[in-house]
Amino acid sequence: MGDDHHAEDRPEFDPENVDLPSKEPPLRETAPQSEFTTSQVSTGAVVALVGLALTFGIAFALV
């Protein structure tokens, strides 16, 4: 299938070998370490506010 996990870039796993590999793993990017633009932060804040307004608005409308 289309698995693109860079398997050819990784050394074989050997539990007996405690040496670190000589080659760095491919760079990975995860959300907490990523830099965000002001536009992305604004979009996230708007989505959060709309979600909160809908959640609490529906709850108060049903009371």
Side-chain angles (χ1 to χ4, degrees):
M1 295 184 39
D3 293 339
D4 186 24
H5 294 289
H6 304 284
E8 65 278 353
D9 292 341
R10 296 185 194 156
E12 290 293 321
F13 177 71
D14 181 8
E16 299 296 322
N17 183 6
V18 294
D19 295 331
L20 295 175
S22 60
K23 185 176 177 183
E24 267 188 36
L27 290 178
R28 290 178 36 177
E29 196 172 302
T30 56
Q33 290 81 21
S34 300
E35 293 183 11
F36 299 105
T37 65
T38 303
S39 173
Q40 291 172 323
V41 172
S42 300
T43 302
V46 168
V47 168
L49 289 174
V50 169
L52 287 170
L54 286 173
T55 301
F56 290 105
I58 291 172
F60 286 130
L62 294 175
V63 173

